[in-house]
Amino acid sequence: MEQSATLDIETLKITQEQFMLSSQSVHLQRPGCDAVYPVGLYGWRKRCLYFFLLLVLVTMIVNLALTVWIIKVMHFSVDGMGNLQLKQDGIRLDGISEFLLPLYVNEIQSRRDSLLVLGSEKNVTLNARNNQGQLTGQLTLGPDAVEAQCQRLEVRSKDGGRLLFTANEEEVIMTTEKFTVTGSEGAVFGHSVETPLIQARASEELKLESPTRTLTMEAPRGVEVSAPKGPLKVSGRKDLQLESTEGEILLDANTIQLGSLPLGVYTASPNQASQEQAVYEVCVCPSGKIYLSPAETSSTCQAMSNICLWS
C-alpha cells in the first residue's frame, strides 16, 4: 500500500512538470514574417473586369429587348405565329402566303366564307405521285394555257355522283343532256362525231358545213332533218345526190319548186320552141336527168329529148 501511494505521487509530479513545460511553450513568441503579399485584383485588371461585366450585362439587355420585339412583331403565341396557326388537324393560314420552295401537302382547303386563290408570276403546277415517287398526274396553270397530264380526266357534278365529262387517249365522252357551242364560228371537228341530236337554239340557224371535204350523216335506223318553224336549205357546189337503196324518196309539200332546170331541145328544128312559153312539163331522161319541155296538147318530151344525149 505504501509503494502504490509513492508511485501515484511520482506520477502526479511528472504530469505537473509536463503541463508546466507545455504552458511555457504556448507563450513563446514566434518569429515574425517581414514580406506581405496582397490577394485580389487591383489597378487596370480590376477596371477591365468591371468593363467586361458591364458589357455582358448590356448585351443581355439588348438581346432580351430584341427577343421581345421579335415576339411582338411576329405575333408569336401559344397557337402559332401571326397568321400561321397550328391546329390538331393541320396548319391554318389567314391572308396571303408566299412559298418560295415546293409545298407538299395532303389537302388544301379554304374557309367556308372565303375563296381559295393560288397565284404565281409564272405558273402554278399541281403534281400527284404514287408511293414510289413517280409522277401520275399533273395540272399546270400557265400564262398561255392550262395543261392536264394524266391517264384519265373526269369532270363530275357538284355532288360528285354524276359523271359529266371524261377523256382519255382513246375517246372523249360527254354525258350531259345538252352541249352548247356559243362561238361565232361554231364547232370544228377533225373526225367523226356521234350524237343522237344536233339542234340549234331558238331563233338561231343551224349550219352543217365541210369546206374542203364531204359531209356524211349516217344512222342505222334513219336520218331525220327537220325545220318545224322555218325553211330547210341543202346546197352544194357540184352534185346533190339523194339515193335510197331499198325504199323510196318522198317529197311531200304543198308546193315543190325545181329551179334552174335546163330546157330541152327539139329534135327537128330549134325554131319550133316558143319564146313566150309560160307552162312547161317536166321530163326525165333514162339516166335520171330532169329537164323542161314546153307544155302542149300532147307530151313534147320525146321531141325535146336531145338534151338526154348530153348527159
Side-chain angles (χ1 to χ4, degrees):
M1 295 294 291
E2 294 177 357
Q3 293 179 356
S4 60
T6 305
L7 292 173
D8 293 337
I9 293 171
E10 293 178 354
T11 304
L12 180 60
K13 291 180 178 180
I14 294 172
T15 304
Q16 291 178 352
E17 293 177 356
Q18 291 177 355
F19 176 75
M20 294 175 64
L21 292 174
S22 62
S23 62
Q24 291 178 358
S25 61
V26 171
H27 295 285
L28 293 177
Q29 294 181 357
R30 296 181 180 179
C33 184
D34 298 336
V36 178
Y37 297 96
V39 178
L41 296 176
Y42 300 95
W44 66 271
R45 294 184 179 87
K46 186 177 182 180
R47 290 192 294 269
C48 289
L49 179 60
Y50 288 161
F51 177 76
F52 179 74
L53 293 177
L54 181 62
L55 181 62
V56 171
L57 181 61
V58 172
T59 304
M60 292 176 58
I61 295 175
V62 172
N63 289 338
L64 182 60
L66 290 176
T67 304
V68 173
W69 178 75
I70 291 174
I71 292 175
K72 184 177 180 180
V73 171
M74 301 301 294
H75 300 284
F76 281 102
S77 63
V78 180
D79 298 332
M81 179 185 66
N83 296 331
L84 176 63
Q85 298 181 4
L86 302 178
K87 302 292 184 179
Q88 294 181 356
D89 55 350
I91 299 175
R92 177 177 176 179
L93 289 173
D94 295 332
I96 301 176
S97 302
E98 183 177 357
F99 300 94
L100 302 179
L101 296 177
L103 177 64
Y104 298 92
V105 295
N106 186 23
E107 181 181 358
I108 300 177
Q109 183 179 1
S110 64
R111 296 186 304 178
R112 296 181 178 179
D113 56 347
S114 62
L115 300 177
L116 176 62
V117 179
L118 301 177
S120 175
E121 295 182 356
K122 293 184 179 179
N123 55 32
V124 177
T125 303
L126 305 178
N127 295 331
R129 301 181 183 273
N130 55 13
N131 297 331
Q132 300 178 357
Q134 299 176 353
L135 185 65
T136 57
Q138 185 180 66
L139 178 62
T140 303
L141 306 178
D144 298 330
V146 178
E147 298 180 1
Q149 180 182 354
C150 57
Q151 297 181 355
R152 183 182 180 89
L153 178 63
E154 294 183 356
V155 178
R156 295 184 176 272
S157 58
K158 60 180 181 180
D159 57 354
R162 182 181 177 186
L163 182 64
L164 303 179
F165 176 84
T166 177
N168 53 25
E169 295 182 357
E170 298 179 356
E171 60 181 359
V172 176
I173 301 176
M174 299 187 64
T175 60
T176 56
E177 297 180 356
K178 183 183 296 184
F179 174 66
T180 305
V181 179
T182 59
S184 59
E185 298 296 331
V188 179
F189 300 95
H191 298 281
S192 61
V193 179
E194 182 178 352
T195 177
L197 177 64
I198 300 177
Q199 182 179 1
R201 286 183 176 181
S203 70
E204 293 186 3
E205 297 181 355
L206 174 63
K207 184 177 182 181
L208 301 179
E209 181 182 5
S210 178
T212 58
R213 295 293 185 270
T214 59
L215 177 62
T216 304
M217 292 186 293
E218 297 179 354
R221 295 187 178 180
V223 177
E224 179 180 357
V225 181
S226 62
K229 298 182 181 180
L232 176 64
K233 181 179 180 182
V234 180
S235 62
R237 182 178 180 182
K238 293 185 179 180
D239 298 336
L240 179 61
Q241 181 178 355
L242 301 177
E243 181 180 357
S244 177
T245 57
E246 297 181 359
E248 62 182 6
I249 298 176
L250 176 62
L251 300 178
D252 187 4
N254 295 330
T255 303
I256 298 177
Q257 297 181 358
L258 301 177
S260 302
L261 290 179
L263 182 62
V265 179
Y266 277 100
T267 56
S269 174
N271 295 329
Q272 298 179 2
S274 176
Q275 298 295 332
E276 297 179 357
Q277 184 71 30
V279 179
Y280 297 88
E281 61 177 323
V282 179
C283 306
V284 181
C285 297
S287 61
K289 183 176 182 179
I290 300 177
Y291 62 96
L292 298 179
S293 178
E296 295 181 359
T297 56
S298 61
S299 176
T300 59
C301 290
Q302 186 67 27
M304 307 284 290
S305 62
N306 274 355
I307 194 173
C308 295
L309 300 177
W310 305 340
S311 59

